[in-house]
Amino acid sequence: MLNGTEDEEKWLAEGIAGIQHNAFYMHRALDSNNLREALKYSAQMLSELRTSKLSPHKYYELYMRAFDELKRLELFFKDDSKHGVSVVDLYELVQHAGNILPRLYLLCTVGSIYIKSKEAPAKEVLKDLVEMCRGVQHPIRGLFLRSYLAQISRDKLPDIGSEYEGDADTVMDAVDFVLQNFTEMNKLWVRMQHQGPGGVREKREKERSELQDLVGKNLHVLSQIEGVDLEMYKETVLPRVLEQVVNCKDDLAQYYLMDCIIQVFPDEYHLQTLETLLGACPQLQPTVDVKTVLSRLMDRLSNYAASSADVLPEFLQVEAFSKLSNAIGKVIEAQLDMPAVGAITLYVSLLTFTLRVHPDRLDHVDQVLGACVKKLSNIPKLEDSRAMKQVVALLSAPLEKYNDIVTALTLSNYPRVMDHLDIGTNKLMAMVIIQSIMKNNSCISTADKVEVLFELIKGLIKDIDGADVDELDEEDFKEEQNSVARLIHMLYNDEPEEMLKIICIVRKHTMVGGPKRLPFTVSSLVFSALRAANGCDIEHVAYEFFTQAFLLYEEEIADSKAQVTAIHLIIGTLQRMNVFGVENRDTLTHKATGYSARLLKKADQCRAVYACSHLFWVDDQDGIKDGERVLLCLKRALRIANAAQQMANVARGSGGPVSLFVEILNKYIYFFEKGNKQITSSAIQGLIELINTEMQSDSTNPDSVADAFLASTLRYIQFQKQKGGVMGEKFESIKL
Amino acid sequence: MNYLVGAFKPPCNIFISFTDGRSRKQVPLKKENGKTVMVALFQSQENIVGEVVIEPIHGKKVEHNGVKIELLGQIELYFDRGNFYDFTSLVRELDVPGELYERKTYPFEFSTVEMPYESYNGVNVRLRYILKVTISRNYVSNIVEYQDFVVRNYTPPPSINNSIKMEVGIEDCLHIEFEYSKSKYHLKDVVIGKIYFLLVRIKLKNMELEIRRRESTGSGPNTYVETETLAKFELMDGTPVRGESIPIRLFLSPYELTPTYRNINNKFSVKYYLNLVLVDEEDRRYFKQQEITMYRNLEAS
């Protein structure tokens, strides 16, 4: 078989030539209305299909050629004015052909006309055809012959509402016919595995899968029969199809057909026959990929449930969940060597199903997770990355569905599943959880839940035994810890007592994080505590916190960059505090402003000082609004900016950053808009002019970023002017 | 007729015709020279009525010792060439010795003629019916004219017509059960049946049903048997597995069959068989032959 493909090409070409040759004479006979010759040459033409040398793929090509010719022949047969023979006689006449394959192709062709003529009940003809086709036992030839039969009969079934439905012909006959053809085709298809062409198993399986749709087509036809209602599907169609599927004992066929059943029949049928359908699963060959079959079923049902709320009661009525759950349990139990990934995939599908169908039934979710834990506990540690992925999918599903970690926290089996993840995945999952919380802005408000949450994300909180510390990626680590820090802000309760508990728990967990984590987490914890203190009007506690913060700043933070960060944090926090009385507040703001002005670099000073302006203007209903001191801050910032400019001139002979001025301008505009009377339009006007002068001065280096910044600021003013209304009037006086 | 006109120009023409010749059914008959002619069809117990016309060639006088017509049923065995066995011989004198000057017509009639055997054209044997007109003459050879006709006899459908059912096989190799719905078929009948595969351990390639005709002639040590396969009808293509059943539907009308003839006049027999042939992938043939009885049925012909 060295030149296998080449030879095949040659054989195919010969076959096609044979068909064309005989078709030529057949056409001549048709044109001269010579029935005898037409029969002779059509039979010879069809004899080309008797070849055993072609692979299914090539045979199909040959078949299609013959098929086209048969359509012409059919037209001739149909017109009895041309050949003068009644269809009944024609039906006998074609059976005189000595070779069975041409004989049966011709018989099917005439049979279709016979049904159309209504001279015999459709069911009789169909029954005869499907029965006679048994004579072809060769898998490929038989499959194509029966596929031809299916093709020519599909519009002639005595379906409900069809013209072929009669007293004698019921839809049951149509169903019987298709089922029988299906059964025979499947048998032939399965048999290919054992006696078909080709040597190696892989090749055979490939060839077989090329033919699978010929078999599946029958199921499609069944699904298209009007008269197959739920009742008939339940009582006849499904049991008989499944009987064939189970009995054929062939993994390829079983897998394909189960999938086919699931795909071609309507969802509500599946729902109403779940028990039967699922009952077949454990009877399949152990090598059949049942999990994919079940997954697909559940996916379909899930989509069905999602399609309309009206169908949900059906699901409840048939107890879909418990049936599926049982079936999965049985399959997993039966298939001992199913890899973990398979089992988990099944659980993921079941979970998706229940989330869609019974979003209110958390117990179902927990039950699925519990089953998964049970399965996982037989495996010491998951090694398979695909399995791991599935576990992540399993755990992510409830988060996505409920958009609310709080719900997930009530699932007792959730952390138990997480325990089975490896360290990396565990962290990944923890991140997913945190991201979910952030995305949905969920507030975790009870100590119990916080406790559970920390149990879930413990992979991020502390070093886990056996973790390979060296492999940690610095950036990932930062990212993780920043997330934890952000998370801490989401743990909040207005009740001081509960909040205190929460803080204690957070403290308990974060403190074991070790030196690498603490820098990230502690500040969050502190701020969280501050906020609590703020919220509880515990002024002295808050003051004490701030004092400590300032002390830390003074004593511990030597690095100038760190100082900048720290002072901004302090300013930001202080601005939010409303717990302080005037005296304490003054002390603290004074201190903060002082530190700001004493930063090392002028630019940093400038930025810190103008940030301090916010300490005197809290844009809340009863926040402090001290316009004068705001202005003072801003003026001070301007001075510093000027000084920076001059220093730059002296030092480098060129202008310093104009952007500082633009930044200050933005602050001016902010307060102007917020109604600070001390900030006037003329002040803004002046500042704009100043900036323009600075920009045009020879000594200034062109700075595209600053230019753009200014331009967009000016555009904003322009925009406000044009907007009209109160704001428009306010900005009216500013000339650009 | 040409050879009669041949060397010595006969002094007269003889025409033999049947009274109901126009309305009577004509069937093809293959002559010795290979040509097919249409001849009248009769069955046993019919009256064979007609007339003989003798027409002297212009002005010639035919002297004769009498004119007679014979109805002959003959069996001709080819290996025994020249020997005809007349199993039926009826004679009617048409004219007393005298002279014929002009065209003369003689009516004749054979009433309710017993013609138990059918006309048959086989490999080694021929059974035929002829009307033979002889003008006997002195000194010169007689003038003879023949007219063939065909006899077919119809039998009513048999009252007992059992199916043929049989289980055959090769031990541990192949086990089949086949069934033909009848054992007796008329000539336009259909063989309906089924083959069940009970055990298949050999790789079969296909299966055919043959119709075979067995013609035996002579008797004792001089028996000649000829078997012809009249039909090869493919029943199955491919390799069946255990439990499969294959339908049989074979229309007999396309084939040139005759009824079964058993020991016709102790000279010959013609029997029919259905031969089921299974062919395996190495082209080995396994077969089982079953005799069937053919009969001629009036309604179906």
Side-chain angles (χ1 to χ4, degrees):
Chain A
M1 284 295 279
L2 268 176
N3 292 324
T5 17
E6 234 170 77
D7 283 349
E8 236 198 303
E9 288 293 346
K10 201 181 81 199
W11 290 321
L12 175 63
E14 279 171 12
I16 290 175
I19 286 186
Q20 282 170 340
H21 175 79
N22 287 300
F24 171 78
Y25 287 103
M26 184 186 87
H27 294 167
R28 274 220 316 220
L30 298 185
D31 292 341
S32 56
N33 295 339
N34 187 335
L35 178 63
R36 180 180 284 275
E37 293 276 288
L39 288 176
K40 177 180 152 195
Y41 286 110
S42 57
Q44 282 183 16
M45 174 186 84
L46 290 164
S47 287
E48 296 295 340
L49 292 177
R50 299 174 70 208
T51 178
S52 298
K53 292 173 174 168
L54 299 178
S55 67
H57 191 68
K58 295 272 185 277
Y59 191 86
Y60 175 74
E61 235 174 276
L62 200 62
Y63 164 82
M64 283 315 292
R65 301 272 181 155
F67 182 82
D68 291 340
E69 296 300 339
L70 282 173
K71 280 196 283 197
R72 289 190 67 156
L73 188 64
E74 188 187 342
L75 287 177
F76 173 74
F77 283 161
K78 219 180 255 177
D79 188 351
D80 60 4
S81 72
K82 289 199 165 166
H83 50 75
V85 176
S86 74
V87 68
V88 187
D89 290 343
L90 206 52
Y91 195 70
E92 184 193 319
L93 213 49
V94 293
Q95 295 187 63
H96 296 174
N99 281 318
I100 186 159
L101 198 68
R103 178 166 77 234
L104 291 176
Y105 271 104
L106 291 174
L107 190 67
C108 290
T109 310
V110 177
S112 89
I113 300 165
Y114 199 5
I115 298 173
K116 260 197 133 122
S117 75
K118 298 185 187 145
E119 284 183 37
K123 76 163 177 193
E124 299 293 337
V125 182
L126 290 174
K127 205 174 160 195
D128 190 48
L129 292 175
V130 78
E131 202 46 47
M132 291 311 284
C133 283
R134 281 176 185 274
V136 180
Q137 294 286 318
H138 184 274
I140 296 181
R141 294 195 286 272
L143 276 170
F144 277 93
L145 172 68
R146 286 183 178 274
S147 146
Y148 179 69
L149 173 60
Q151 177 73 27
I152 54 115
S153 64
R154 60 181 304 190
D155 57 345
K156 299 174 188 74
L157 302 174
D159 190 6
I160 282 180
S162 133
E163 55 176 313
Y164 305 105
E165 188 198 12
D167 298 337
D169 297 23
T170 63
V171 65
M172 197 61 206
D173 298 312
V175 169
D176 272 339
F177 165 75
V178 182
L179 277 173
Q180 196 183 340
N181 204 34
F182 160 73
T183 307
E184 294 301 325
M185 281 179 86
N186 190 47
K187 286 201 283 194
L188 290 171
W189 187 45
V190 169
R191 208 185 292 166
M192 242 182 107
Q193 191 67 38
H194 313 289
Q195 59 180 36
V200 273
R201 188 183 161 82
E202 290 77 26
K203 190 178 167 217
R204 264 188 217 174
E205 287 189 345
K206 185 180 157 283
E207 290 188 342
R208 282 190 62 202
S209 50
E210 284 172 0
L211 292 172
Q212 63 185 19
D213 289 341
L214 295 184
V215 184
K217 186 91 173 289
N218 288 295
L219 296 181
H220 182 71
V221 171
L222 276 175
S223 75
Q224 299 292 306
I225 297 179
E226 268 317 295
V228 175
D229 53 9
L230 178 60
E231 184 67 19
M232 187 177 289
Y233 178 75
K234 202 174 183 172
E235 299 301 323
T236 310
V237 176
L238 184 63
R240 281 185 54 189
V241 171
L242 284 180
E243 184 193 357
Q244 174 58 28
V245 172
V246 169
N247 288 345
C248 79
K249 298 202 182 343
D250 175 83
D251 49 358
L252 192 69
Q254 289 183 334
Y255 174 71
Y256 171 73
L257 292 173
M258 286 303 279
D259 193 39
C260 209
I261 294 171
I262 291 167
Q263 302 306 327
V264 302
F265 291 106
D267 302 303
E268 61 260 45
Y269 287 15
H270 293 320
L271 199 54
Q272 296 297 333
T273 53
L274 258 187
E275 209 150 3
T276 321
L277 190 57
L278 294 173
C281 289
Q283 300 178 60
L284 302 179
Q285 298 300 99
T287 41
V288 173
D289 184 5
V290 184
K291 65 167 195 314
T292 310
V293 170
L294 284 174
S295 294
R296 295 234 196 171
L297 174 64
M298 287 185 277
D299 290 350
R300 263 204 79 152
L301 291 178
S302 304
N303 288 332
Y304 178 52
S307 68
S308 156
D310 300 342
V311 301
L312 289 180
E314 273 182 64
F315 282 85
L316 296 175
Q317 186 210 330
V318 301
E319 296 172 335
F321 175 78
S322 61
K323 280 178 188 164
L324 285 169
S325 177
N326 278 339
I328 288 171
K330 271 187 198 143
V331 166
I332 290 174
E333 222 170 273
Q335 301 200 359
L336 279 176
D337 42 359
M338 182 196 283
V341 59
I344 301 164
T345 311
L346 275 176
Y347 287 125
V348 172
S349 297
L350 182 60
L351 190 69
T352 316
F353 171 80
T354 185
L355 286 174
R356 293 230 181 126
V357 181
H358 310 289
D360 53 328
R361 295 293 297 268
L362 273 177
D363 56 330
H364 284 172
V365 178
D366 209 29
Q367 190 184 328
V368 177
L369 292 175
C372 190
V373 168
K374 207 174 130 199
K375 173 72 189 174
L376 286 172
S377 56
N378 296 330
I379 313 160
K381 202 75 190 173
L382 274 178
E383 300 289 347
D384 182 1
S385 67
R386 285 179 310 150
M388 205 67 80
K389 251 187 195 150
Q390 287 300 323
V391 177
V392 172
L394 186 77
L395 291 169
S396 308
L399 297 184
E400 279 162 27
K401 173 68 191 177
Y402 295 112
N403 276 334
D404 180 8
I405 187 69
V406 181
T407 316
L409 294 180
T410 58
L411 301 167
S412 64
N413 284 309
Y414 202 95
R416 295 174 61 200
V417 176
M418 280 197 74
D419 283 346
H420 288 280
L421 293 171
D422 66 20
I423 294 161
T425 319
N426 193 306
K427 281 185 184 171
L428 198 77
M429 197 54 228
M431 288 294 280
V432 170
I433 293 172
I434 294 175
Q435 277 153 13
S436 159
I437 294 175
M438 293 303 166
K439 197 177 89 197
N440 300 301
N441 234 339
S442 335
C443 180
I444 318 294
S445 59
T446 70
D448 293 350
K449 285 178 183 160
V450 172
E451 182 73 55
V452 179
L453 178 64
F454 270 89
E455 180 62 27
L456 291 184
I457 61 165
K458 65 184 172 205
L460 299 179
I461 302 300
K462 59 182 182 194
D463 290 328
I464 293 174
D465 299 338
D468 193 347
V469 190
D470 297 336
E471 271 187 22
L472 279 179
D473 183 290
E474 190 70 20
E475 272 189 34
D476 285 354
F477 181 76
K478 273 189 185 165
E479 162 93 26
E480 285 164 16
Q481 296 309 315
N482 278 326
S483 297
V484 175
R486 289 170 68 196
L487 173 70
I488 293 172
H489 291 292
M490 304 304 293
L491 317 173
Y492 186 71
N493 194 322
D494 282 335
E495 280 296 314
E497 210 170 312
E498 192 68 26
M499 187 60 204
L500 189 63
K501 276 192 202 161
I502 291 177
I503 289 174
C504 287
I505 291 168
V506 175
R507 183 171 168 276
K508 180 183 85 187
H509 284 285
T510 49
M511 284 309 155
V512 296
K516 287 183 76 179
R517 289 190 181 79
L518 278 174
F520 293 92
T521 48
V522 166
S523 59
S524 280
L525 179 60
V526 169
F527 287 122
S528 182
L530 267 176
R531 189 168 63 162
N534 185 21
C536 309
D537 285 334
I538 319 173
E539 188 178 354
H540 61 280
V541 178
Y543 190 81
E544 180 58 27
F545 273 131
F546 262 96
T547 317
Q548 292 298 325
F550 280 123
L551 279 176
L552 275 173
Y553 179 81
E554 282 169 2
E555 289 165 12
E556 303 290 342
I557 307 180
D559 179 50
S560 61
K561 269 190 191 157
Q563 283 182 343
V564 174
T565 316
I567 198 71
H568 277 282
L569 278 172
I570 289 171
I571 295 168
T573 314
L574 189 52
Q575 203 255 357
R576 291 275 160 193
M577 303 297 287
N578 53 16
V579 69
F580 297 118
V582 181
E583 199 180 319
N584 278 341
R585 191 178 175 90
D586 269 355
T587 317
L588 293 173
T589 46
H590 185 256
K591 202 76 181 156
T593 330
Y595 284 135
S596 302
R598 278 199 298 281
L599 287 171
L600 183 61
K601 291 205 273 183
K602 287 289 177 198
D604 290 335
Q605 282 179 16
C606 175
R607 288 193 177 102
V609 169
Y610 71 61
C612 282
S613 65
H614 288 285
L615 292 176
F616 306 106
W617 192 278
V618 178
D619 197 30
D620 285 338
Q621 198 139 42
D622 37 43
I624 178 172
K625 289 194 175 61
D626 187 342
E628 214 163 314
R629 291 178 75 175
V630 168
L631 185 62
L632 276 174
C633 276
L634 294 180
K635 279 189 171 161
R636 192 167 177 186
L638 266 178
R639 275 203 304 280
I640 300 171
N642 259 321
Q645 191 75 359
Q646 279 159 14
M647 263 173 67
N649 264 331
V650 172
R652 294 191 293 272
S654 69
V658 185
S659 57
L660 277 180
F661 291 107
V662 186
E663 285 165 36
I664 295 165
L665 173 62
N666 274 279
K667 290 289 164 197
Y668 265 86
I669 294 171
Y670 172 80
F671 287 112
F672 181 62
E673 269 180 25
K674 292 292 173 194
N676 186 337
K677 296 276 187 307
Q678 303 296 319
I679 311 291
T680 60
S681 57
S682 58
I684 293 177
Q685 185 87 49
L687 192 49
I688 294 173
E689 275 156 22
L690 171 73
I691 294 169
N692 281 335
T693 325
E694 283 292 336
M695 288 262 192
Q696 281 148 17
S697 98
D698 299 338
S699 58
T700 310
N701 280 334
D703 179 351
S704 60
V705 179
D707 284 353
F709 193 10
L710 178 64
S712 69
T713 308
L714 296 178
R715 237 189 348 266
Y716 177 75
I717 296 171
Q718 193 67 40
F719 168 74
Q720 291 290 25
K721 278 164 76 112
Q722 283 164 358
K723 207 160 72 173
V726 187
M727 208 46 90
E729 271 170 41
K730 232 172 167 3
F731 277 89
E732 189 56 62
S733 51
I734 302 173
K735 302 278 177 304
L736 292 179
Chain B
M1 242 175 269
N2 284 341
Y3 67 100
L4 289 173
V5 186
F8 307 96
K9 261 201 170 161
C12 61
N13 290 325
I14 303 170
F15 304 101
I16 307 167
S17 61
F18 298 105
T19 309
D20 52 1
R22 282 178 182 277
S23 56
R24 184 164 286 279
K25 189 173 178 187
Q26 306 269 309
V27 293
L29 176 73
K30 215 171 181 186
K31 304 276 285 185
E32 293 93 330
N33 58 10
K35 284 194 176 151
T36 305
V37 293
M38 298 300 285
V39 298
L41 174 68
F42 289 89
Q43 54 178 307
S44 191
Q45 309 276 345
E46 270 193 294
N47 299 330
I48 297 174
V49 186
E51 54 184 32
V52 175
V53 176
I54 299 176
E55 194 179 66
I57 292 168
H58 48 276
K60 278 198 177 171
K61 149 189 105 164
V62 183
E63 261 181 88
H64 62 86
N65 280 342
V67 181
K68 63 176 179 182
I69 183 163
E70 291 166 283
L71 188 155
L72 300 174
Q74 298 181 327
I75 293 172
E76 182 184 351
L77 298 166
Y78 295 157
F79 55 86
D80 196 9
R81 190 152 268 289
N83 275 331
F84 297 150
Y85 299 91
D86 293 345
F87 56 87
T88 291
S89 176
L90 302 168
V91 188
R92 295 284 180 274
E93 295 293 340
L94 295 179
D95 207 350
V96 290
E99 289 175 347
L100 282 171
Y101 297 97
E102 57 192 5
R103 175 190 164 101
K104 194 168 178 191
T105 303
Y106 305 98
F108 68 88
E109 177 170 354
F110 299 96
S111 305
T112 51
V113 190
E114 203 63 50
M115 296 179 288
Y117 310 131
E118 288 199 345
S119 305
Y120 173 69
N121 236 330
V123 181
N124 283 327
V125 63
R126 178 165 71 162
L127 188 151
R128 66 169 186 163
Y129 287 92
I130 43 177
L131 288 170
K132 181 179 177 190
V133 174
T134 311
I135 302 173
S136 317
R137 294 194 290 179
N138 286 328
Y139 318 118
V140 279
S141 59
N142 295 340
I143 304 169
V144 180
E145 176 63 71
Y146 299 93
Q147 174 62 52
D148 282 89
F149 66 91
V150 168
V151 171
R152 288 180 182 172
N153 288 324
Y154 304 99
T155 30
S159 52
I160 299 170
N161 198 346
N162 293 323
S163 66
I164 300 175
K165 202 169 178 177
M166 190 167 260
E167 203 181 307
V168 291
I170 309 161
E171 206 176 331
D172 294 332
C173 212
L174 178 70
H175 238 79
I176 63 170
E177 188 183 289
F178 63 84
E179 183 177 354
Y180 308 127
S181 59
K182 295 189 261 189
S183 51
K184 297 168 184 166
Y185 297 89
H186 64 75
L187 301 183
K188 311 281 181 202
D189 218 337
V190 191
V191 180
I192 304 281
K194 248 184 176 16
I195 297 126
Y196 302 95
F197 285 87
L198 303 171
L199 175 77
V200 193
R201 292 236 177 96
I202 45 176
K203 278 200 141 190
L204 295 175
K205 193 164 73 177
N206 71 342
M207 175 167 68
E208 330 176 304
L209 191 61
E210 293 177 346
I211 302 174
R212 311 188 91 194
R213 170 156 67 197
R214 189 166 171 277
E215 177 189 289
S216 61
T217 44
S219 55
N222 291 325
T223 308
Y224 294 79
V225 176
E226 277 296 333
T227 308
E228 287 172 273
T229 302
L230 301 178
K232 272 180 187 270
F233 189 75
E234 195 183 15
L235 290 177
M236 183 189 74
D237 167 27
T239 314
V241 294
R242 200 165 62 97
E244 257 342 309
S245 78
I246 307 296
I248 303 170
R249 184 189 294 150
L250 169 60
F251 288 91
L252 297 176
S253 58
Y255 309 105
E256 284 179 20
L257 308 179
T258 67
T260 297
Y261 302 134
R262 288 186 209 282
N263 205 15
I264 299 300
N265 208 236
N266 279 324
K267 290 286 182 291
F268 73 100
S269 294
V270 175
K271 291 179 177 177
Y272 286 90
Y273 297 87
L274 287 178
N275 190 27
L276 184 68
V277 185
L278 295 100
V279 186
D280 74 7
E281 288 200 323
E282 270 103 52
D283 281 325
R284 280 187 293 250
R285 295 164 76 82
Y286 310 83
F287 56 88
K288 179 69 190 172
Q289 190 163 291
Q290 287 296 121
E291 192 186 345
I292 52 170
T293 304
M294 299 300 301
Y295 66 96
R296 197 183 293 281
N297 177 271
L298 184 59
E299 286 88 66
S301 50

